[in-house]
């Protein structure tokens, strides 16, 4: 503590216009350190670090401390340059909460004295220091002069006498410009990163010529969020430009592309492919910001995502094994969802001719050891070489596939996975893993009405107004509806019931058997269920394609009804037979009211790295055009040379649309505002396009009543030969049907002629607007194998065939789903009022006055206290 007080005193002197006797670089302590080496060509008189000073380094994806040992960074950002005299106290506090690193954010007016005081404090605290420069001119901006000015005026001038000192070399990493680079790209195939990469290559070489061997930390563009800039070997390109090969890639986890665990895992897995150390230098908070990330998920993922591997040496086609996870205490699963993630090798998806395919199912044991399973799954129905989720909401005993008599769902002690060879050849084998065994609170539907017809058909009767009336009877324990010859419809109802109200969302399920004799003649069949006691209300309509003629079929209908408590069945366009149509097991469920909230986010985005994403030619015109995906772009290639008569506008126009817009989950035209970003490149040949050339973005509503051009651009707007990014508001006219999937949505290009065949490329397309907020799960129990002892909670419950329980249990092992990675939380203290929720502490001077966010980051699962290991430094000479 005495040393820190001394540094604060020196720092106070620096604020006094050097009244205390000038720079700290003149103190006796500094004389022990070599600051000015022999003159070097091009750097005469500039201080340089000693060539043999130990520094942090890298080995592939691994960051090594100055002793050569691997180190995972765990720490906190400190906005030091905003208020050095007070913030210097935060450095020691950051170490006291378990950090092994502090990210010191400097400003353009941060002096060498202030920097030295901070680094001396960090050294005494045993911290790595990521020295970072931030100003609005560099953050979220691509101003070349701001970047080069910072390097020349600050890093290699104002701060260089401090940064070169030998005592700091083992501790320092150099983050030259926080968040510098272009915004709005997010496309790993884009050429828009070229200047960004070239400029960073230049400053890397400049820093190395100045003698710095420390890691150079490169923030991603796009306000630090756009990790795509490092993909496609661009990260390796930066490394190749570095004589020291000591680069660390930095990303900031904010925004929609880092929203949830899957987004984070995907980003880090892609970055891993660059084989360079990566650090998440800042991350957001699900409780603070719009478009927020789940910061606690990030910390858990960063610890290294673990799963349980279940190697099974299959012996016979009759093998069976059951693995159970023992819960810490018995619990009720009623009104809750039970789920588990399962990974299967692709070899399990197929079977040799005449052989079975492995099956699996979740199951439970209660406190008396009684068994209940949650439904059968064929391995072939799951994802190959990937993770699938098995999940089941437990409403009551009917939710089980099969249960022993007396099974008590209110006292479950074990959750497991049952694996059945099911005739599978024992040579069919592969990786098999489980993870995230979870119980969460669920909204359980309310059973409003039910008919099983075990005791007759109750009050079911034909509709009184129908002539002729439908025959209604009981046949083999089912409700039978019979039409008269010449009448193509059956219609019957069950009367109102006291105490029942269909107010809101309802779900109706039933089993139906339509005799095979109806099949060929009833292909125009329609089928719905209805309520009539609060006005005529129908559910959705199904057709012949939803029914298997001659077999029992289970169907589900959905409706939103405003009252009523009766139920009707209506089926029409029946032909070919007058045999009775049978119905059984009819249930009406009242669905829980859906709590929907919205936030601004990405409704649709594609960079076409996975293909054309459903975009295809729309045959409105005769101009030949092909659509493909190449190098991360949608490529539309018209062939005007084959157009024929160019006086016919039809031969000079083409249209392309997204054919699967109904599959875009968050697409919502009811959003108050919709914004589109489109990155385009026209071939240079379009410089010779006719004056009437236009590129349009169009949409036609679900009712065919409005065809609207959302944007219209000419050649002057698009600059042939260059990538152009267009951002605009999608303005829909009054009367546009915003509900339902638009009939058409795409691009239309007019006036294509008198030029060679030339492509038009779309590099990225993004639509932003209101999207539903993801409901936060209320987790009751979670076994995610984050802690090693959770593997000990597994037991082998059952074996059949040639398997041996002890062998199966002995082979259970921990599997690393994703490697651990480094992170630093944003930020210790004193954010602006609007961002105060990011503060980890209420005081610079103490480590014990933490905010709620601070408690989570410091003491939470995957947090600093749990996962941070101090870095090592060479012994002082």
């Amino acid at each position: 503590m005495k040393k820190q007080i001394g540094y604060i005193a020196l720092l106070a002197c620096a604020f006094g216009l050097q009244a205390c006797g000038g720079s700290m670089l003149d103190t006796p302590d500094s004389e022990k350190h070599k600051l000015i080496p022999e003159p070097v060509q091009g750097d005469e008189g500039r201080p340089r670090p000693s060539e043999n000073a130990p520094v942090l380094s890298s080995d592939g994806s691994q960051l090594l401390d100055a002793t050569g040992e691997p180190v995972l960074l765990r720490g906190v950002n400190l906005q030091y340059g905003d208020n050095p005299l007070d913030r210097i106290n935060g450095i020691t506090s950051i170490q006291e909460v378990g950090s092994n690193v502090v990210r010191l954010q400097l400003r353009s007016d941060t002096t060498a004295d202030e920097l030295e005081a901070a680094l001396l404090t960090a050294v005494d605290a045993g911290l790595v220091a990521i020295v970072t420069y931030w100003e609005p001119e560099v953050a979220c901006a691509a101003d070349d002069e701001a970047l080069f000015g910072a390097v020349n005026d600050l890093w290699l001038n104002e701060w260089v006498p401090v940064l070169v000192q030998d005592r700091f070399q083992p501790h320092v990493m150099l983050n030259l410009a926080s968040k510098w680079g272009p915004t709005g790209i997010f496309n790993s195939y884009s050429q828009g990163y070229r200047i960004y990469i070239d400029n960073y290559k230049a400053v890397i070489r400049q820093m190395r010529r100045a003698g710095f061997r420390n890691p150079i930390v490169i923030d991603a563009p796009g306000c630090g969020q756009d990790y795509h800039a490092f993909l496609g070997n661009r990260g390796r390109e930066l490394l190749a430009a570095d004589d020291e090969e000591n680069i660390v890639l930095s990303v900031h986890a904010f925004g929609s592309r880092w929203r949830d665990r899957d987004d984070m895992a995907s980003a880090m897995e892609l970055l891993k492919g660059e084989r360079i150390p990566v650090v998440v230098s800042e991350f957001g908070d699900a409780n603070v910001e719009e478009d927020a990330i789940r910061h606690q998920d990030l910390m858990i993922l960063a610890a290294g995502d673990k799963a349980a591997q279940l190697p099974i040496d299959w012996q016979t086609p009759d093998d069976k094994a059951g693995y159970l996870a023992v819960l810490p205490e018995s619990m009720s699963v009623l009104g809750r969802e039970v789920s588990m993630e399962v990974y299967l090798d692709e070899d399990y998806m197929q079977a040799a001719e005449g052989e079975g395919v492995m099956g699996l199912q979740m199951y439970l044991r209660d406190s008396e050891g009684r068994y209940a399973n949650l439904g059968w799954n064929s391995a072939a129905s799951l994802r190959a070489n990937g993770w699938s989720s098995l999940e089941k909401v437990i409403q009551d005993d009917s939710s089980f596939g099969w249960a022993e008599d007396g099974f008590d769902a209110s006292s479950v002690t074990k959750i497991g996975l049952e694996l059945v060879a099911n005739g599978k050849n024992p040579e069919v084998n592969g990786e098999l893993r489980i993870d995230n065994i979870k119980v969460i609170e669920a909204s359980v539907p309310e059973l409003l009405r039910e008919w099983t017809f075990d005791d007759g058909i109750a009050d079911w009767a034909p509709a009184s107004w129908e002539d002729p009336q439908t025959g209604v009877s009981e046949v083999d324990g089912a409700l039978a509806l019979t039409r008269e010859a010449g009448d193509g419809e059956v219609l019957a109802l069950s009367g109102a019931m006291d105490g029942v109200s269909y107010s809101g969302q309802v779900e109706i399920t039933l089993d139906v058997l339509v005799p095979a004799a109806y099949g060929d003649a009833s292909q125009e069949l329609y089928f719905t269920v209805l309520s009539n006691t609060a006005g005529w209300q129908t559910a959705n309509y199904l057709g012949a394609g939803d029914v298997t003629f001659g077999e029992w079929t289970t169907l589900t209908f959905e409706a939103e009804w405003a009252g009523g408590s009766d139920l009707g069945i209506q089926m029409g366009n029946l032909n070919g037979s007058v045999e009775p149509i049978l119905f059984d097991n009819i249930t009406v469920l009242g669905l829980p009211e859906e709590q929907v909230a919205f936030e601004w986010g990405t409704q649709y985005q594609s960079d076409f790295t996975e293909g054309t994403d459903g975009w295809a030619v729309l045959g409105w015109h005769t101009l030949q055009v092909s659509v493909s995906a190449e190098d991360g772009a949608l490529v539309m290639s018209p062939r005007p040379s084959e157009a024929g008569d160019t006086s016919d506008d039809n031969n000079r126009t083409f249209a392309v649309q997204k054919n699967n817009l109904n599959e875009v989950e968050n697409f919502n035209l009811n959003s108050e505002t919709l914004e589109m970003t489109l990155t385009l490149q026209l071939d240079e040949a379009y410089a010779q396009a006719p004056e009437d050339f236009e590129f349009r973005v169009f949409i036609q509503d679900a009712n065919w009543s409005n065809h609207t051009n959302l944007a219209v651009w000419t050649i002057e707007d698009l600059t042939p030969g260059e990538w152009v990014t267009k951002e605009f508001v999608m303005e829909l006219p009054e009367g546009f049907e915003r509900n339902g999937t638009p009939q058409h949505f795409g691009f239309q290009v007019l006036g294509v002629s008198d030029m060679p065949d030339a492509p038009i490329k779309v590099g990225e397309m993004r639509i932003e607007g209101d999207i539903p907020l993801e409901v936060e799960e209320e987790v009751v129990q979670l076994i995610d194998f984050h802690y090693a002892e959770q593997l000990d909670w597994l037991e082998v419950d059952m074996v059949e065939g040639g398997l041996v329980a002890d062998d199966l249990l002995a082979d259970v092992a921990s599997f690393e789903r994703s490697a651990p990675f480094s992170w630093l939380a944003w930020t210790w203290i004193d954010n602006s009022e609007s961002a105060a929720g990011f503060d980890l502490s209420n005081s610079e001077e103490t480590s014990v006055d933490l905010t709620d966010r601070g408690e989570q980051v410091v003491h939470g699962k995957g947090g600093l206290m749990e996962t941070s290991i101090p870095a090592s430094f060479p012994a002082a000479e």
Side-chain angles (χ1 to χ4, degrees):
M1 180 59 71
K2 289 182 179 179
K3 284 187 178 181
Q4 184 174 350
I5 292 173
Y7 303 150
I8 296 172
L10 289 170
L11 190 55
C13 291
F15 275 94
L17 299 177
Q18 309 300 322
C20 297
S23 169
M24 287 179 287
L25 303 180
D26 296 326
T27 64
D29 188 39
S30 69
E31 293 174 1
K32 301 176 184 178
H33 302 277
K34 182 179 181 182
L35 300 180
I36 303 177
E38 295 297 323
V40 177
Q41 184 68 31
D43 292 328
E44 293 90 345
R46 175 185 288 160
R48 295 172 64 86
S50 296
E51 293 184 2
N52 59 352
V55 297
L56 291 100
S57 60
S58 59
D59 180 11
S61 299
Q62 182 67 63
L63 182 67
L64 307 178
D65 64 29
T67 70
E69 294 298 316
V71 60
L72 274 175
L73 301 181
R74 292 284 187 273
V76 178
N77 283 264
L78 182 67
Q79 292 163 291
Y80 176 71
D82 293 355
N83 185 3
L85 192 59
D86 290 335
R87 297 289 163 74
I88 193 168
N89 297 293
I91 298 173
T92 301
S93 298
I94 286 170
Q95 183 275 329
E96 289 173 353
V97 297
S99 301
N100 59 22
V101 61
V102 59
R103 187 168 179 253
L104 295 169
Q105 188 183 90
L106 311 183
R107 303 295 297 270
S108 59
D109 59 355
T110 303
T111 67
D113 293 341
E114 293 164 350
L115 174 57
E116 185 175 31
L119 290 181
L120 287 169
T121 307
V123 169
D124 281 349
L127 294 175
V128 172
I130 301 179
V131 184
T132 303
Y133 171 62
W134 182 91
E135 281 290 349
E137 289 76 14
V138 297
C140 306
D143 185 338
D144 300 354
E145 293 183 3
L147 174 66
F148 292 130
V151 171
N152 291 320
D153 299 338
L154 297 172
W155 293 101
L156 297 180
N157 186 21
E158 173 68 25
W159 300 334
V160 74
V162 176
L163 294 172
V164 298
Q165 295 184 38
D166 285 1
R167 56 183 168 180
F168 298 144
Q169 298 312 297
H171 294 260
V172 167
M173 301 169 66
L174 307 175
N175 189 187
L176 303 179
S178 181
K179 305 182 184 181
W180 184 85
T183 59
I185 301 178
F186 292 95
N187 178 357
S188 57
Y189 290 91
S190 174
Q191 296 300 309
Y193 303 115
R194 186 71 267 151
I195 295 176
Y196 165 83
I197 293 294
D198 287 345
N199 284 341
Y200 260 121
K201 286 160 64 176
V203 297
I204 289 169
R205 293 179 179 123
Q206 193 172 357
M207 295 299 293
R208 296 311 185 202
R209 283 196 300 269
F212 287 100
R213 297 169 45 248
N214 317 76
I216 295 178
V217 181
I218 308 296
D219 273 11
C223 297
Q225 301 169 28
D226 190 358
Y227 61 88
H228 299 79
F230 299 135
L231 305 181
N233 284 323
R234 280 183 289 266
R236 302 294 299 175
E237 189 177 342
L238 291 171
L239 189 68
D242 181 12
D243 292 339
E244 295 294 330
E245 295 189 350
N246 200 7
I247 295 294
V248 174
L249 305 180
S250 163
V251 290
H252 297 185
F254 295 87
S256 61
R257 293 168 179 84
W258 294 88
R259 182 185 303 278
D260 58 30
R261 190 186 183 103
D262 289 342
D263 293 332
M264 300 167 196
S266 175
M268 299 310 294
E269 186 65 24
L270 289 168
L271 287 166
K272 180 181 175 182
E274 294 299 308
R275 306 184 305 283
I276 300 172
V278 178
V279 57
V280 178
S281 296
E282 301 177 13
F283 59 84
D285 189 315
N287 302 310
V288 177
E289 54 182 334
E290 294 184 3
D291 213 11
I293 75 153
R294 293 183 172 181
H295 60 288
Q296 291 166 298
D297 282 355
L298 183 141
M299 294 188 301
I300 295 170
L301 187 67
D305 195 11
K306 303 293 196 304
Q309 184 147 299
L310 312 177
I312 300 179
D313 185 11
W314 297 94
Q315 300 295 313
T316 77
D318 300 318
D319 285 348
K320 177 191 289 188
Y323 291 87
L324 278 174
V326 181
L327 303 180
E329 58 185 7
S330 66
M331 63 184 304
S332 174
V333 295
L334 292 169
R336 292 169 170 171
E337 179 182 274
V338 180
S339 64
M340 173 189 301
E341 293 182 17
V342 179
Y343 177 100
L344 292 182
D345 192 286
E346 64 180 346
D347 287 348
Y348 287 118
M349 304 296 126
Q350 300 177 359
E353 186 176 351
E355 297 173 340
V357 177
M358 182 180 74
L360 61 161
Q361 56 190 354
M362 284 192 298
Y363 72 106
L364 311 173
R365 294 274 186 194
D366 68 10
S367 56
E368 298 298 324
R370 290 176 292 240
Y371 167 101
N373 69 50
L374 302 182
W376 177 263
N377 303 270
S378 169
S381 68
L382 274 61
R383 182 182 176 190
N385 292 338
W387 290 92
S388 302
S389 182
L390 307 179
E391 50 196 36
K392 183 72 174 182
V393 173
I394 311 299
Q395 179 178 348
D396 51 35
D397 290 347
S398 67
S399 303
F400 302 124
W402 182 84
E404 286 187 57
D405 289 342
F407 178 84
D408 185 1
S410 68
S411 181
V412 171
T413 59
K414 301 174 183 179
I415 300 173
L417 181 68
E418 186 175 350
L419 299 146
V420 184
N422 193 39
K424 175 187 70 65
N425 188 320
E427 294 182 3
V428 174
N429 209 332
E431 301 291 345
L432 196 159
R433 304 173 191 126
I434 59 173
D435 197 9
N436 294 322
I437 301 169
K438 187 186 304 183
V439 180
I440 64 172
E441 296 290 358
S443 297
V444 178
E446 178 186 1
L447 179 62
L448 299 177
R449 301 196 69 179
E450 181 179 26
W451 296 268
T452 60
F453 306 110
D454 293 336
D455 299 317
I457 60 172
D459 61 349
W460 281 86
S464 60
W465 61 87
E466 287 287 288
D467 185 20
Q469 290 191 331
T470 298
V472 180
S473 62
E474 184 269 334
V475 175
D476 297 331
L479 172 68
L481 303 185
T482 308
R483 72 186 184 98
E484 290 192 12
D487 183 13
E489 182 178 73
V490 292
L491 176 60
L493 296 94
S494 179
M497 181 176 287
D498 291 340
V500 174
S501 176
Y502 303 150
S503 296
Q505 295 285 337
V506 294
E507 179 181 279
I508 303 96
T509 61
L510 55 78
D511 297 335
V512 61
L513 174 61
V514 183
Y518 282 95
D520 291 341
S522 299
Q523 291 304 304
E524 300 301 318
L525 168 73
Y526 66 83
F527 186 14
T528 191
V529 293
L530 55 97
S531 174
N532 191 40
T533 49
W536 188 263
Q537 303 177 110
T538 66
N540 57 302
Y541 280 79
L542 300 179
D546 300 298
V547 175
T548 302
F549 291 95
E551 298 181 14
W552 282 100
T553 307
T554 300
L555 299 178
T556 300
F557 298 86
E558 294 181 350
E560 184 169 3
W561 288 343
S565 61
D566 65 332
L567 190 73
I569 294 173
Q570 184 179 34
M571 187 179 290
N573 289 340
L574 294 168
N575 291 287
S577 175
V578 291
E579 297 177 55
I581 300 170
L582 304 184
F583 302 86
D584 204 354
N585 301 319
I586 304 173
T587 62
V588 183
L589 299 177
L591 301 183
E593 184 176 349
E594 189 175 5
Q595 301 295 325
V596 180
F598 292 92
E599 65 177 347
W600 184 262
T602 301
Q603 293 191 1
Y604 167 68
Q605 179 177 353
S606 183
D607 58 11
F608 306 104
T609 56
E610 301 293 329
T612 60
D613 194 31
W615 288 82
V617 176
L618 177 58
W620 283 353
H621 312 289
T622 56
L623 176 61
Q624 293 297 307
V625 61
S626 62
V627 177
S628 60
E630 301 172 14
D631 298 329
L634 181 72
V635 182
M636 299 171 283
S637 301
R639 295 188 290 279
S641 60
E642 302 175 14
D645 181 8
T646 56
S647 64
D648 183 350
D649 286 342
N650 224 24
N651 289 339
R652 304 174 61 237
T653 303
F654 71 86
V656 170
Q657 75 166 351
K658 184 166 175 58
N659 282 338
N660 58 348
L661 193 61
N662 61 311
E663 297 177 10
V664 180
E665 181 179 3
N666 288 324
F667 189 70
N668 174 24
L669 293 179
N670 285 297
S671 178
E672 184 174 345
T673 303
L674 289 162
E675 296 181 2
M676 183 184 296
T677 302
L678 197 64
T679 304
L680 289 168
Q681 185 192 60
L682 273 61
D683 189 275
E684 293 179 351
Y686 285 93
Q688 307 302 318
E691 292 183 0
D692 62 349
F693 176 91
E694 288 182 350
F695 185 103
R696 298 176 179 175
V697 182
F698 70 89
I699 190 168
Q700 188 172 58
D701 70 4
N703 288 345
W704 302 94
S705 56
N706 281 281
H707 179 100
T708 302
N709 288 323
L710 302 170
V712 179
W713 301 305
T714 66
I715 287 295
E716 292 181 355
D717 301 315
L718 298 175
T719 316
E722 297 182 14
W723 284 99
V724 177
T725 298
K726 294 291 185 180
E727 299 179 354
F728 58 95
V729 175
M730 298 170 58
E731 295 184 356
L732 302 176
E734 186 176 351
F736 191 98
E737 176 53 61
R738 292 172 178 259
N739 297 305
T741 303
Q743 296 294 339
H744 298 292
F745 175 62
F747 312 130
Q748 188 176 26
V749 182
L750 297 82
V752 182
S753 61
D754 303 328
M755 69 187 81
D757 298 352
I760 297 174
K761 298 180 180 180
V762 176
E764 183 187 34
M765 182 176 183
R766 184 169 71 254
I767 298 174
E768 295 175 287
D770 293 335
I771 61 172
L773 274 171
E774 188 174 1
V775 177
E776 193 77 26
E777 294 178 342
E778 185 177 343
V779 179
V780 181
Q781 184 58 257
L782 172 65
I783 301 174
D784 61 359
F785 307 104
H786 178 82
Y787 301 106
E789 65 259 25
Q790 289 184 332
L791 284 175
D792 298 332
W793 297 1
L794 289 176
E795 61 181 38
V796 175
D797 179 45
M798 63 177 80
V799 290
E800 292 182 13
L803 300 178
V804 178
D806 289 345
D807 293 344
L808 293 179
L809 192 59
D811 290 338
V812 171
S814 178
F815 173 81
E816 188 175 88
R817 289 182 66 168
S818 62
F821 55 85
S822 297
W823 57 258
L824 293 96
W826 181 265
T827 181
W828 185 245
I829 195 170
D830 210 17
N831 283 282
S832 64
E833 183 177 349
S834 62
F838 287 121
D839 288 349
L840 302 182
S841 175
N842 294 308
S843 170
E844 284 98 344
E845 299 181 4
T846 178
S847 59
V848 297
D849 189 12
L850 299 176
T851 64
D852 289 343
R853 172 173 165 84
E855 289 289 345
Q856 294 168 356
V857 170
V858 174
H859 298 293
K861 187 175 180 179
L864 291 171
M865 286 297 189
E866 180 183 290
T867 65
S868 181
I869 298 174
S872 298
F873 303 97
E877 296 182 2

